Amino acid sequence: MSRDVPIHSWPGSYYINNEKRWESGTLSLTRTMVHFVSHQSKKTLASFRLSRIIEIKTESSSFIFSTLTVLEEGNVKHWFGSLKPNRLVVYNVLEHFWRERLLSPGTEAQGAGCQPSKGRELLNLVAGAQRRLEDTGRVLSHQGEQFDNMMQGLEKMDSDLGVADKLLSELESPSWWPFGKLPWKTQQDAKAADSARAAAAATAGKGSGRNKVISSIPAVVSKGGDTNLKPGCLLVLVSSLEVRDTDCQLLHRFERNEIDEIRVHSPYEISVRQRFIGKPDICYRLLSAKMPEAMSVLEMQYKKKLEFTREYAAFKVTPATSPCDTEGSKWKEGLPQRCQETEFPLEVPAGELPQLQVHVLQSSVSQAEAQELKQMLMQLKNLALEAEAELERQDEALDVLTSSTDRATMHIEKHTCRMKRLM
């Protein structure tokens, strides 16, 4: 995944402190860096890491109002003004990615020649469990289809019994009978009403596991073509997607079967669309540093509705590297100081350490394998929750089938007695 491709860019201006003037250009956010490039000279006037940011604020100055300031380590303050669409949008996005620490230290560190067998064995075990669970899911799906067919057959039978009931009622209460309903007809109606109420009470109030949350991530949200991005969150449920604000108030709920399209603009930005006939579509755009965690679930649930844009392809040009790797010649100096958060030193003289310590330094599971394992476990969780929801649905269907069968049997016996009485 290329680190140089901007996740988001905004036109604006930057205050050059040593020249005491403003320069117009473009402010860009990448996976690890914040850049500002001048429109005239095409030079980079500011470039710093997300991990070096100390504070992000919206301020006003004596030179220009409505500015955005970023305080970097070393007490270096950057001023950005005239931001479009507005500074609040830029603040929300920058603050989100800074707070979430898109690439925390060591998250994607690549150890040279480090492909331990234990990590690969774990991945193989999880992959095998995933295949077995997928097979089970297919069996459950086929079984659910059979239940649905049985339900349709019972509904047709119930409809036929309704027609038979009407015909028998006409025979029992002919038009020439001057005293209304026959005596046994009143008792039969009362018993039928009691049985209907009992069946309705038996099937009412049953819960469902289709509203369980699979994944929940913070995000910056906008509706439709609105460029006013606001903080919120995305909830991935078994049967739907929910977009909420910072107070957890529901903005919109996309039912699984009502989602028409999920466009993936980048590994961190998607848009979810629901189309209508005769009225505007409902579309929400979500930007999140944690979106890759939710993507593993979305790819499982909405594989046929996912659409990857051309912008997304740019992020797949080169593999991702560690946040402690160099990014240009200006970052090569002082590398050990920025990588002090790693678990072990960059270079260890193994010959001077006891054998036990050398064994400890050899990581049993690499960071890349841990990330892949995390995504696979998320997929397993998704499959397990879907299997649980399908089992609960089939359990409810069995209850309905049982009650419907009992009701049909009772109606057949009742109609048989009525026909014998008429003969």
Side-chain angles (χ1 to χ4, degrees), residues 333-404:
E333 299 179 358
L335 178 63
Q337 287 77 9
R338 289 193 300 277
C339 295
Q340 286 178 356
E341 299 180 23
T342 55
E343 187 176 357
F344 300 108
L346 295 178
E347 295 182 2
V348 179
E352 300 178 5
L353 294 176
Q355 184 177 1
L356 179 60
Q357 285 183 290
V358 175
H359 178 71
V360 170
L361 289 176
Q362 295 176 352
S363 176
S364 59
V365 181
S366 67
Q367 293 292 341
E369 289 172 337
Q371 185 68 21
E372 185 178 355
L373 185 63
K374 180 180 179 181
Q375 294 182 356
M376 294 177 71
L377 289 174
M378 287 289 293
Q379 293 177 354
L380 278 177
K381 178 183 177 182
N382 178 31
L383 289 171
L385 287 174
E386 286 192 336
E388 180 184 6
E390 179 63 20
L391 282 173
E392 290 183 359
R393 188 188 74 84
Q394 292 184 13
D395 185 53
E396 294 176 3
L398 279 174
D399 292 340
V400 175
L401 283 172
T402 303
S403 60
S404 299

Side-chain angles (χ1 to χ4, degrees), residues 6 36 130 155 301 360-361:
F36 188 91
Q130 182 176 346
E155 288 175 0
Q301 285 190 317
V360 170
L361 289 176

Side-chain angles (χ1 to χ4, degrees), residues 72-86:
E72 185 188 355
E73 291 181 3
N75 202 27
V76 179
K77 195 169 187 178
H78 303 275
W79 293 76
F80 303 97
S82 304
L83 295 169
K84 297 179 181 180
N86 57 69

Side-chain angles (χ1 to χ4, degrees), residues 158-172:
D158 188 63
S159 176
D160 294 340
L161 288 173
V163 174
D165 181 67
K166 290 181 180 179
L167 294 175
L168 286 172
S169 298
E170 291 180 1
L171 291 174
E172 290 172 338

Side-chain angles (χ1 to χ4, degrees), residues 108-127:
E108 296 180 357
Q110 297 175 346
C114 181
Q115 293 184 355
S117 59
K118 289 185 178 180
R120 184 50 54 186
E121 288 176 1
L122 283 173
L123 290 173
N124 291 336
L125 286 173
V126 176

Side-chain angles (χ1 to χ4, degrees), residues 205-217:
K206 293 190 176 180
S208 174
R210 301 181 65 82
N211 290 328
K212 292 187 177 180
V213 177
I214 301 174
S215 178
S216 176
I217 59 171

